[in-house]
Amino acid sequence: AQSVTQLDSHVSVSEGTPVLLRCNYSSSYSPSLFWYVQHPNKGLQLLLKYTSAATLVKGINGFEAEFKKSETSFHLTKPSAHMSDAAEYFCVVTVNTGGFKTIFGAGTRLFVKA
Amino acid sequence: DGGITQSPKYLFRKEGQNVTLSCEQNLNHDAMYWYRQDPGQGLRLIYYSQIVNDFQKGDIAEGYSVSREKKESFPLTVTSAQKNPTAFYLCATHRGYTEAFFGQGTRLTVV
Protein backbone atom coordinates (compact mmCIF):
# COMPACT_ATOMS: atom_id res chain seq x y z
CA ALA A 1 0.00 0.00 0.00
CA GLN A 2 1.07 3.58 -0.61
CA SER A 3 1.12 6.25 2.07
CA VAL A 4 2.43 9.72 2.77
CA THR A 5 3.32 11.03 6.22
CA GLN A 6 3.96 14.68 6.94
CA LEU A 7 5.76 14.52 10.22
CA ASP A 8 4.66 17.89 11.61
CA SER A 9 1.13 19.24 11.60
CA HIS A 10 2.41 22.72 12.50
CA VAL A 11 5.79 24.41 12.08
CA SER A 12 6.62 27.87 13.38
CA VAL A 13 9.70 29.85 12.29
CA SER A 14 10.89 33.43 12.53
CA GLU A 15 11.17 35.53 9.41
CA GLY A 16 14.62 35.15 7.85
CA THR A 17 15.32 31.72 9.39
CA PRO A 18 15.37 28.40 7.52
CA VAL A 19 12.25 26.35 6.85
CA LEU A 20 12.12 22.54 7.00
CA LEU A 21 8.88 20.67 6.31
CA ARG A 22 9.26 16.92 6.54
CA CYS A 23 7.65 14.26 4.35
CA ASN A 24 8.12 10.50 4.30
CA TYR A 25 6.42 8.15 1.88
CA SER A 26 5.87 4.45 1.46
CA SER A 27 5.39 2.90 -1.96
CA SER A 28 5.93 -0.40 -3.75
CA TYR A 29 6.16 1.49 -7.03
CA SER A 30 8.47 4.21 -8.29
CA PRO A 31 6.78 7.41 -7.18
CA SER A 32 6.48 10.91 -8.47
CA LEU A 33 6.58 13.34 -5.58
CA PHE A 34 5.16 16.83 -5.29
CA TRP A 35 4.85 19.69 -2.84
CA TYR A 36 1.87 22.01 -3.04
CA VAL A 37 1.08 25.19 -1.13
CA GLN A 38 -2.39 26.38 -0.16
CA HIS A 39 -3.25 29.85 1.07
CA PRO A 40 -6.54 30.32 2.97
CA ASN A 41 -9.67 29.67 0.91
CA LYS A 42 -7.61 29.02 -2.21
CA GLY A 43 -6.80 26.02 -4.37
CA LEU A 44 -3.48 24.22 -4.21
CA GLN A 45 -0.51 25.56 -6.15
CA LEU A 46 2.41 23.41 -7.25
CA LEU A 47 5.71 24.35 -5.58
CA LEU A 48 7.93 21.66 -7.09
CA LYS A 49 7.98 18.09 -8.35
CA TYR A 50 10.27 15.08 -8.55
CA THR A 51 9.70 12.68 -11.45
CA SER A 52 12.87 10.51 -11.51
CA ALA A 53 15.30 13.10 -12.83
CA ALA A 54 17.63 15.07 -10.52
CA THR A 55 17.13 14.22 -6.85
CA LEU A 56 17.49 17.84 -5.73
CA VAL A 57 14.54 19.74 -7.07
CA LYS A 58 14.21 23.51 -7.12
CA GLY A 59 10.80 25.08 -7.07
CA ILE A 60 9.16 28.47 -6.97
CA ASN A 61 9.65 31.12 -4.29
CA GLY A 62 13.06 29.77 -3.24
CA PHE A 63 11.84 26.36 -2.09
CA GLU A 64 13.66 23.15 -2.84
CA ALA A 65 13.33 19.48 -1.91
CA GLU A 66 15.61 16.48 -2.02
CA PHE A 67 14.43 12.99 -2.92
CA LYS A 68 16.23 10.43 -0.75
CA LYS A 69 15.25 6.95 -1.81
CA SER A 70 17.18 5.22 0.98
CA GLU A 71 15.29 7.26 3.57
CA THR A 72 12.00 7.37 1.60
CA SER A 73 11.91 11.09 2.27
CA PHE A 74 11.14 14.24 0.32
CA HIS A 75 11.64 17.12 2.75
CA LEU A 76 10.90 20.70 1.70
CA THR A 77 13.35 23.45 2.61
CA LYS A 78 13.89 27.15 2.17
CA PRO A 79 16.96 29.04 3.41
CA SER A 80 15.12 32.11 4.62
CA ALA A 81 11.42 32.34 5.50
CA HIS A 82 9.29 35.26 4.39
CA MET A 83 6.01 36.36 5.93
CA SER A 84 4.25 35.46 2.67
CA ASP A 85 5.32 31.82 3.09
CA ALA A 86 2.76 31.35 5.87
CA ALA A 87 0.34 28.78 4.44
CA GLU A 88 -0.53 25.08 4.43
CA TYR A 89 1.83 22.75 2.60
CA PHE A 90 0.96 19.32 1.21
CA CYS A 91 3.30 16.51 0.23
CA VAL A 92 1.79 14.34 -2.51
CA VAL A 93 2.78 11.03 -4.09
CA THR A 94 1.59 9.67 -7.42
CA VAL A 95 2.22 6.08 -8.44
CA ASN A 96 1.26 3.98 -11.44
CA THR A 97 -0.46 0.86 -10.15
CA GLY A 98 -2.01 0.03 -13.48
CA GLY A 99 -3.86 3.32 -13.18
CA PHE A 100 -2.50 6.46 -11.58
CA LYS A 101 -3.11 6.80 -7.86
CA THR A 102 -2.50 10.04 -5.96
CA ILE A 103 -2.05 10.15 -2.21
CA PHE A 104 -2.05 13.38 -0.20
CA GLY A 105 -0.32 14.00 3.08
CA ALA A 106 -2.39 15.53 5.87
CA GLY A 107 -0.68 18.89 5.48
CA THR A 108 1.70 21.06 7.51
CA ARG A 109 0.67 24.53 8.58
CA LEU A 110 3.63 26.94 8.43
CA PHE A 111 3.57 29.98 10.70
CA VAL A 112 6.10 32.77 10.16
CA LYS A 113 6.78 35.20 13.01
CA ALA A 114 7.99 38.74 12.43
CA ASP B 1 -5.75 31.20 -20.02
CA GLY B 2 -5.81 27.43 -19.43
CA GLY B 3 -7.16 26.31 -16.12
CA ILE B 4 -9.91 24.99 -13.92
CA THR B 5 -12.95 27.02 -12.97
CA GLN B 6 -15.04 26.16 -9.96
CA SER B 7 -18.29 27.90 -9.21
CA PRO B 8 -19.72 29.24 -7.08
CA LYS B 9 -16.96 30.30 -4.68
CA TYR B 10 -19.39 30.23 -1.74
CA LEU B 11 -22.57 28.15 -1.50
CA PHE B 12 -25.17 27.83 1.22
CA ARG B 13 -27.42 24.81 1.53
CA LYS B 14 -30.52 24.31 3.58
CA GLU B 15 -31.14 21.05 5.38
CA GLY B 16 -32.54 18.40 3.02
CA GLN B 17 -31.55 20.24 -0.13
CA ASN B 18 -29.41 18.98 -3.00
CA VAL B 19 -26.81 21.37 -4.41
CA THR B 20 -24.50 21.09 -7.39
CA LEU B 21 -20.94 22.37 -7.56
CA SER B 22 -19.56 23.18 -10.98
CA CYS B 23 -16.09 22.30 -12.29
CA GLU B 24 -14.98 23.18 -15.81
CA GLN B 25 -11.54 22.73 -17.34
CA ASN B 26 -9.93 23.78 -20.62
CA LEU B 27 -6.64 21.93 -20.12
CA ASN B 28 -7.78 18.98 -22.25
CA HIS B 29 -6.97 16.57 -19.41
CA ASP B 30 -8.73 13.24 -19.29
CA ALA B 31 -8.77 12.72 -15.53
CA MET B 32 -10.82 14.87 -13.16
CA TYR B 33 -11.18 14.60 -9.39
CA TRP B 34 -13.28 15.94 -6.54
CA TYR B 35 -11.77 16.35 -3.08
CA ARG B 36 -13.23 17.40 0.20
CA GLN B 37 -11.10 19.36 2.65
CA ASP B 38 -11.90 19.73 6.34
CA PRO B 39 -9.74 21.66 8.80
CA GLY B 40 -6.66 19.68 9.81
CA GLN B 41 -7.61 16.65 7.69
CA GLY B 42 -5.92 17.26 4.37
CA LEU B 43 -7.75 16.25 1.20
CA ARG B 44 -10.06 13.26 0.87
CA LEU B 45 -11.10 11.87 -2.50
CA ILE B 46 -14.84 11.86 -3.22
CA TYR B 47 -15.08 10.78 -6.87
CA TYR B 48 -12.83 10.67 -9.88
CA SER B 49 -13.24 10.19 -13.60
CA GLN B 50 -10.55 8.94 -15.94
CA ILE B 51 -12.61 9.34 -19.10
CA VAL B 52 -15.92 10.70 -20.35
CA ASN B 53 -19.00 8.73 -19.27
CA ASP B 54 -17.05 6.84 -16.63
CA PHE B 55 -16.37 7.65 -12.98
CA GLN B 56 -15.30 5.85 -9.83
CA LYS B 57 -16.03 6.27 -6.14
CA GLY B 58 -13.26 7.58 -3.97
CA ASP B 59 -12.81 7.16 -0.23
CA ILE B 60 -15.84 9.19 0.89
CA ALA B 61 -18.43 8.94 -1.93
CA GLU B 62 -21.50 8.40 0.26
CA GLY B 63 -23.98 11.27 -0.09
CA TYR B 64 -22.41 12.58 -3.30
CA SER B 65 -23.03 12.00 -6.99
CA VAL B 66 -21.23 13.06 -10.18
CA SER B 67 -21.58 12.95 -13.94
CA ARG B 68 -19.06 13.20 -16.77
CA GLU B 69 -20.95 13.84 -19.97
CA LYS B 70 -18.24 16.09 -21.43
CA LYS B 71 -14.47 16.03 -21.10
CA GLU B 72 -14.49 19.62 -19.89
CA SER B 73 -17.06 19.27 -17.12
CA PHE B 74 -17.32 17.24 -13.92
CA PRO B 75 -20.13 18.55 -11.68
CA LEU B 76 -20.54 17.30 -8.12
CA THR B 77 -23.96 17.05 -6.46
CA VAL B 78 -24.10 17.07 -2.69
CA THR B 79 -27.29 15.25 -1.84
CA SER B 80 -29.47 15.40 1.25
CA ALA B 81 -28.00 12.02 2.20
CA GLN B 82 -24.69 13.73 3.02
CA LYS B 83 -25.15 14.44 6.71
CA ASN B 84 -22.20 16.75 7.22
CA PRO B 85 -21.61 18.61 3.96
CA THR B 86 -20.04 21.78 5.35
CA ALA B 87 -16.51 21.77 3.90
CA PHE B 88 -14.21 23.18 1.25
CA TYR B 89 -14.50 21.33 -2.05
CA LEU B 90 -11.68 21.20 -4.57
CA CYS B 91 -11.80 20.03 -8.16
CA ALA B 92 -8.61 18.92 -9.87
CA THR B 93 -7.37 17.48 -13.13
CA HIS B 94 -4.45 15.18 -13.64
CA ARG B 95 -2.36 14.27 -16.65
CA GLY B 96 -0.80 10.88 -16.01
CA TYR B 97 2.37 11.05 -13.97
CA THR B 98 2.46 14.82 -13.91
CA GLU B 99 1.16 17.17 -11.31
CA ALA B 100 -2.48 17.86 -10.47
CA PHE B 101 -4.06 21.19 -11.31
CA PHE B 102 -6.58 22.61 -8.88
CA GLY B 103 -9.49 24.99 -9.06
CA GLN B 104 -9.91 27.72 -6.46
CA GLY B 105 -12.46 25.75 -4.49
CA THR B 106 -16.07 26.08 -3.36
CA ARG B 107 -16.90 26.60 0.29
CA LEU B 108 -20.20 24.93 1.12
CA THR B 109 -22.03 25.80 4.31
CA VAL B 110 -25.24 24.29 5.66
CA VAL B 111 -27.60 26.89 7.10
Side-chain angles (χ1 to χ4, degrees):
Chain A
Q2 285 62 238
S3 67
V4 178
T5 303
Q6 292 185 241
L7 296 160
D8 306 289
S9 59
H10 299 87
V11 169
S12 182
V13 300
S14 297
E15 192 173 22
T17 65
V19 175
L20 170 63
L21 305 183
R22 298 182 294 166
C23 174
N24 284 102
Y25 71 93
S26 173
S27 177
S28 308
Y29 303 85
S30 294
S32 287
L33 295 153
F34 309 85
W35 276 99
Y36 290 84
V37 61
Q38 184 183 33
H39 292 278
N41 292 312
K42 299 289 188 184
L44 277 67
Q45 179 187 15
L46 181 70
L47 275 178
L48 48 79
K49 62 182 177 182
Y50 166 78
T51 55
S52 77
T55 56
L56 181 62
V57 181
K58 294 188 184 299
I60 62 171
N61 301 334
F63 284 95
E64 62 181 39
E66 186 172 8
F67 173 64
K68 292 187 176 180
K69 188 174 181 179
S70 60
E71 298 176 11
T72 60
S73 69
F74 191 56
H75 301 334
L76 181 70
T77 61
K78 182 173 181 177
S80 176
H82 191 272
M83 295 297 288
S84 61
D85 294 328
E88 183 113 27
Y89 292 80
F90 293 95
C91 181
V92 180
V93 173
T94 297
V95 293
N96 187 352
T97 62
F100 290 101
K101 185 173 175 63
T102 297
I103 305 109
F104 285 81
T108 298
R109 170 76 60 182
L110 176 64
F111 297 93
V112 182
K113 299 174 288 187
Chain B
D1 253 321
I4 302 170
T5 303
Q6 287 188 245
S7 61
K9 188 173 174 66
Y10 298 96
L11 186 58
F12 298 90
R13 191 193 95 166
K14 295 180 180 179
E15 296 281 352
Q17 192 178 44
N18 291 358
V19 291
T20 297
L21 284 59
S22 171
C23 178
E24 302 280 330
Q25 58 114 347
N26 61 5
L27 298 169
N28 200 33
H29 290 169
D30 288 315
M32 297 187 73
Y33 299 74
W34 274 106
Y35 294 95
R36 171 180 170 139
Q37 187 177 26
D38 296 281
Q41 292 196 40
L43 275 67
R44 293 183 289 170
L45 181 63
I46 305 172
Y47 267 98
Y48 64 100
S49 168
Q50 305 275 26
I51 197 168
V52 174
N53 292 323
D54 186 54
F55 48 82
Q56 308 294 330
K57 291 182 178 180
D59 301 318
I60 56 164
E62 186 174 351
Y64 300 97
S65 66
V66 293
S67 63
R68 187 86 186 277
E69 297 175 1
K70 299 186 300 182
K71 188 175 187 177
E72 301 80 15
S73 179
F74 191 41
L76 174 74
T77 297
V78 184
T79 74
S80 57
Q82 171 47 242
K83 297 306 179 190
N84 184 23
T86 294
F88 192 54
Y89 292 86
L90 286 161
C91 177
T93 70
H94 222 280
R95 188 180 58 208
Y97 228 24
T98 65
E99 69 269 27
F101 297 82
F102 287 85
Q104 291 299 294
T106 293
R107 184 162 295 282
L108 174 62
T109 304
V110 174
V111 296

